[in-house]
Amino acid sequence: MRIYALLCIIAIAYCTQTTNQASMFDEQLGLLTKSKLGKTMLNMISLQQFTEVDFSPLYAAIDDIVASTQQAKQDEAESLDSFYQQFLSDSEFYQNQVTEYNTEVAQHQSDITTLKKDRNSLQQSLYDKSQQLSDSQRNQAQLQRTVQNNDQATAKKTAEYDSSISIVDQVIAKLQLIKQSSFIEVNKEDLAVSAATFSRRLSEVSHLPHLFEPLSKVLVQMGTQGFADQEQAGNAVKLLNSLREDLVASKLALQTNAQLEKDTNDGLLASLEENINLLNNEIIPQLKGDIETKDGEIATKQGLLKDAQSNLDTAQANLDNVNAGWVARQEQNKQLNDGWDNELMLLSQAESALERGGIRRQ
């Protein structure tokens, strides 16, 4: 409305100037008569020509408009400065929030990476210990079978030695009869049969050839001579006693070595059993518990990360809104000032036009 009024003032001024120079602008005046606004302006100009009109109210109005416009510009400048101060405060606040939440997000991400690395390490340890448990159990089963087989082999070998010693003892007892003075009372046929039987049974201890072979020869010769040679019988007894001593020594060596090996294996079995119990009852359950704890810590950190990321997004959105608000406010300020500057320019032009039309301040 103020722009319209200013245009009217300028039009009046120019029309006044045009009337004073009517000889030069008859055509323009004719054009003005064709519109109501133009006729009104011409009437005002005619009135100014034939009457003394006081234009001081008009200049007062112009001064009021200029003053109010300048006041509006000053108020807008103060409002803009206040808005700017608030913008700086809000911008700093949300920027600090963005920085804080960025740091928090980065810290949570780093913590999660570390926790996952620790969790993977625990998982690898659990796998290794489970593999170690499996190996220990397999070794234990194999060693138990070995101990069982060794015990069976030792028992069998010991029984063989006992049987051999028993056979030797029986042969010695028979041969002792030959050396007795009542030998002639012994049935020679029975001795021959017994000797043949002993020879056959002694073959069962043929694993000692250095004793078995000469002993067999003696028994064969004695059987050929009808067991009448006491010297041969004495030699046979000596050989049999040597054989018996070797059998006893071999049996004792077998039992000693078997016991040593059994003690060693029992020690290994005890160590394996202890390791298996430790893995089953302590280490593996502890690792599983640690993994479960790490999973809980990771889940907690992921929740904190989600919250921090949400806070960061909100702070960033607020910061963006504050920045966008400042840009919009600056644009608004520019538009207002452009309008007011345009009004002031029009007012200045109007006053100049009035002066050129002969209407001056009184």
Side-chain angles (χ1 to χ4, degrees):
M1 194 65 181
R2 293 198 306 176
I3 297 297
Y4 177 75
L6 289 171
L7 290 174
C8 289
I9 293 171
I10 294 172
I12 291 171
Y14 274 106
C15 288
T16 301
Q17 185 178 18
T18 301
T19 303
N20 290 338
Q21 301 174 357
S23 61
M24 297 175 60
F25 302 106
D26 288 340
E27 184 177 353
Q28 286 81 350
L29 290 173
L31 293 173
L32 287 174
T33 60
K34 294 181 179 180
S35 66
K36 292 182 178 181
L37 180 60
K39 290 178 180 179
T40 301
M41 291 179 179
L42 290 175
N43 290 333
M44 292 178 67
I45 293 170
S46 297
L47 181 63
Q48 192 270 339
Q49 288 179 333
F50 300 105
T51 62
E52 281 297 327
V53 179
D54 184 8
F55 283 93
S56 58
L58 176 59
Y59 279 104
I62 292 175
D63 292 341
D64 288 342
I65 294 175
V66 170
S68 65
T69 300
Q70 290 176 339
Q71 184 61 47
K73 286 173 64 67
Q74 182 178 349
D75 292 343
E76 169 60 13
E78 293 175 355
S79 175
L80 180 66
D81 181 68
S82 176
F83 191 97
Y84 179 65
Q85 296 303 321
Q86 186 62 48
F87 160 73
L88 290 178
S89 176
D90 293 343
S91 177
E92 181 181 8
F93 175 77
Y94 290 123
Q95 184 60 60
N96 288 339
Q97 280 194 334
V98 168
T99 301
E100 176 185 353
Y101 292 134
N102 260 323
T103 302
E104 188 175 344
V105 166
Q107 184 61 53
H108 288 323
Q109 289 174 335
S110 177
D111 291 343
I112 289 173
T113 299
T114 300
L115 287 171
K116 286 184 175 180
K117 186 181 296 183
D118 293 342
R119 201 256 186 214
N120 290 339
S121 178
L122 288 170
Q123 187 65 50
Q124 183 62 45
S125 296
L126 177 60
Y127 173 81
D128 293 340
K129 294 303 179 182
S130 298
Q131 190 65 37
Q132 183 179 340
L133 173 62
S134 178
D135 293 341
S136 296
Q137 290 173 331
R138 183 175 61 255
N139 292 336
Q140 182 189 46
Q142 291 175 348
L143 189 55
Q144 286 173 338
R145 286 193 296 270
T146 298
V147 169
Q148 183 179 8
N149 292 337
N150 288 346
D151 288 344
Q152 292 174 351
T154 300
K156 180 180 178 182
K157 198 69 175 176
T158 300
E160 290 175 355
Y161 277 119
D162 288 340
S163 177
S164 299
I165 292 170
S166 175
I167 293 171
V168 170
D169 287 342
Q170 292 177 39
V171 173
I172 290 174
K174 286 291 185 179
L175 290 176
Q176 291 293 348
L177 293 175
I178 299 175
K179 298 172 64 177
Q180 295 175 2
S181 58
S182 58
F183 169 74
I184 56 175
E185 298 175 359
V186 179
N187 189 315
K188 292 182 179 182
E189 183 179 351
D190 181 53
L191 281 175
V193 173
S194 296
T197 300
F198 292 152
S199 179
R200 177 177 53 78
R201 295 188 66 185
L202 283 173
S203 67
E204 297 175 13
V205 292
S206 58
H207 55 280
L208 299 172
H210 65 290
L211 293 174
F212 170 73
E213 292 177 1
L215 180 59
S216 296
K217 291 179 182 180
V218 170
L219 292 176
V220 170
Q221 289 176 3
M222 290 179 65
T224 302
Q225 297 173 4
F227 295 93
D229 191 338
Q230 290 188 358
E231 184 179 354
Q232 291 283 9
N235 290 334
V237 170
K238 289 180 181 180
L239 289 172
L240 286 170
N241 282 327
S242 250
L243 174 60
R244 189 183 191 283
E245 290 174 1
D246 281 353
L247 289 172
V248 171
S250 296
K251 173 186 172 182
L252 290 175
L254 171 67
Q255 291 174 331
T256 300
N257 292 333
Q259 188 61 46
L260 289 174
E261 185 175 2
K262 181 176 176 59
D263 291 343
T264 300
N265 288 336
D266 286 344
L268 292 174
L269 285 173
S271 177
L272 286 171
E273 183 67 22
E274 181 181 0
N275 188 49
I276 288 171
N277 289 335
L278 183 64
L279 289 169
N280 260 332
N281 301 328
E282 296 183 28
I283 296 178
I284 290 179
Q286 181 65 44
L287 286 172
K288 288 181 178 179
D290 291 343
I291 289 173
E292 185 176 351
T293 299
K294 285 298 177 186
D295 287 339
E297 291 177 357
I298 290 172
T300 299
K301 275 293 180 181
Q302 287 175 333
L304 293 175
L305 173 61
K306 182 179 179 181
D307 292 342
Q309 186 63 57
S310 176
N311 292 335
L312 173 60
D313 293 341
T314 300
Q316 186 62 58
N318 290 335
L319 179 61
D320 292 342
N321 290 336
V322 166
N323 290 332
W326 172 239
V327 172
R329 185 65 180 84
Q330 286 178 303
E331 180 62 26
Q332 180 188 38
N333 174 261
K334 181 178 182 303
Q335 291 177 358
L336 289 173
N337 278 291
D338 286 347
W340 288 325
D341 289 342
N342 188 52
E343 285 187 12
L344 291 173
M345 180 187 68
L346 291 175
L347 287 170
S348 177
Q349 291 176 352
E351 187 171 354
S352 297
L354 288 172
E355 289 178 353
R356 286 196 298 271
I359 302 174
R360 290 179 170 78
R361 291 178 180 271
Q362 295 179 356

